[in-house]
Amino acid sequence: MPDTTPATSTVLPLLPALSAQAERLVELGVHELAGLSATELRAFAAAAEAPAGGALLAVHPERAPASALAPLLRLDDKSGFVVTDMPDVDLFAPLDTVPLPDAPLYLLTGLDRGDHLANWTPNEALPALTAEARTPLLLTEGIHWVLQQPAVLERNHCFMTIGSRLRKPNGALDARTPALWISNGTGRDGRERRNAPKVGWCWAGNRHTWLGFASATSRRGQELKE
């Protein structure tokens, strides 16, 4: 396995309060994508209890898929996008080992970008996270994280979301693994997208020194209240 001691350590800011996260999602129209009212979203945030380290408010991927969330990402004046060779992005579903709350809204706690796993392959990182009692983020959860905390995505310190994988008709996993990073504006991205937040993919057996593996300690939901 590669050395997991990071050369440098980035201290990320704390997540906003849940009420502020709810307002951010309302501002972006995410509640409408999810078929929820602004009142329902705000009520969930008001009733939820976040731990001392904060929590991320997420919408279930069946309610708000990655293709709808990605364009809402923004870094400076650049909007987010999905790479052209990932038209099936919304078919990347949670692994069987990543159970989701049976609710339209839920919380993730203990978020970590996984910088210490940079230069590992996704195939190596998944069992390592499991051994640490951590759960890999889904692609939609990673997008929610950047929507609320854009600073989590920075050059040379971006991340993969290997909780989402695509299964082939024969049941085997597609070799692509989704990730979030910043476009260089090359190739099919187009120069106009340089420095834009990007949803893309990497092969499950490849290493990237600039990609960590985002994870959390838990997911939990609760009933919506009017």
Side-chain angles (χ1 to χ4, degrees):
M1 295 290 186
D3 180 8
T4 61
T5 303
T8 58
S9 176
T10 300
V11 178
L12 297 172
L14 293 176
L15 281 161
L18 292 175
S19 59
Q21 292 185 46
E23 290 305 319
R24 172 69 173 152
L25 295 181
V26 169
E27 172 190 334
L28 293 171
V30 174
H31 63 299
E32 295 175 341
L33 291 174
L36 299 170
S37 69
T39 299
E40 288 175 310
L41 183 53
R42 290 171 176 141
F44 176 90
E49 295 182 4
L56 177 68
L57 174 55
V59 178
H60 197 288
E62 292 182 356
R63 292 289 194 114
S67 63
L69 294 175
L72 303 178
L73 292 168
R74 197 166 189 86
L75 291 178
D76 296 326
D77 62 340
K78 300 296 178 69
S79 299
F81 67 100
V82 179
V83 294
T84 58
D85 56 353
M86 204 176 182
D88 51 0
V89 63
D90 292 337
L91 299 181
F92 282 70
L95 289 169
D96 294 341
T97 54
V98 183
L100 297 187
D102 184 18
L105 301 169
Y106 60 95
L107 301 180
L108 292 111
T109 59
L111 293 182
D112 182 75
R113 193 168 60 184
D115 293 355
H116 66 294
L117 295 175
N119 208 33
W120 287 49
T121 70
N123 287 339
E124 294 166 340
L126 183 58
L129 290 172
T130 301
E132 296 173 5
R134 299 192 63 84
T135 178
L137 289 199
L138 305 182
L139 175 56
T140 51
E141 293 169 349
I143 295 174
H144 275 291
W145 195 8
V146 180
L147 286 175
Q148 299 290 354
Q149 198 175 53
V152 77
L153 202 64
E154 56 180 326
R155 286 207 175 275
N156 301 316
H157 294 290
C158 298
F159 59 89
M160 304 196 72
T161 54
I162 58 174
S164 295
R165 295 294 295 272
L166 175 65
R167 286 202 179 273
K168 299 178 181 179
N170 64 5
L173 289 175
D174 187 281
R176 293 171 296 166
T177 53
L180 284 153
W181 71 90
I182 301 171
S183 174
N184 286 325
T186 57
R188 286 178 287 183
D189 287 1
R191 285 183 294 177
E192 70 279 3
R193 283 176 165 162
R194 178 172 172 77
N195 297 324
K198 171 179 176 177
V199 171
W201 59 269
C202 301
W203 299 118
N206 284 6
R207 306 180 191 279
H208 298 278
T209 59
W210 45 277
L211 284 175
F213 292 86
S215 65
T217 54
S218 70
R219 296 177 180 84
R220 58 185 173 89
Q222 64 187 47
E223 293 184 5
L224 288 172
K225 295 181 180 180
E226 289 288 351

